[in-house]
Amino acid sequence: GKMSGKNWTAGPWKSVGSLVYFANNEGGLRVRDTPEPQANAALIAAAPDLYEALDALLSSMTDEDGLLEHVQPVMDARAALSKARGEK
């Protein structure tokens, strides 16, 4: 069925090898072992589309004066893309 809202496990999430570590969890959990497995799986499955959409949105923004580089949501979006690429 279709899910509404943010039903997935709250962040931050980080990956180490093939494990995903969820907030306040010292050990890696498989998605099926989380309290919200279907919502987490849906979010992970959407990640490539979300990445491409955010990257395209940022690329389409015109910023001749460089003002957007200091806007917090733009900085957060760039940081999220960097995190998705495995950059620090």
Side-chain angles (χ1 to χ4, degrees), residues 4-85:
S4 61
K6 298 178 183 176
N7 299 322
W8 53 80
T9 302
W13 297 10
K14 69 177 184 174
S15 63
V16 177
S18 62
L19 289 177
V20 174
Y21 291 82
F22 296 93
N24 301 318
N25 189 308
E26 294 299 318
L29 285 176
R30 290 179 292 232
V31 171
R32 70 174 188 224
D33 296 334
T34 62
E36 307 83 5
Q38 291 172 321
N40 290 335
L43 179 62
I44 292 166
D49 295 333
L50 292 168
Y51 180 95
E52 292 300 325
L54 185 57
D55 189 44
L57 179 66
L58 288 174
S59 295
S60 72
M61 295 170 59
T62 57
D63 188 25
E64 287 93 26
D65 299 325
L67 298 175
L68 291 177
E69 290 302 314
H70 304 288
V71 174
Q72 194 62 50
V74 173
M75 293 174 7
D76 292 345
R78 293 193 191 288
L81 292 175
S82 179
K83 181 178 178 180
R85 290 189 299 268

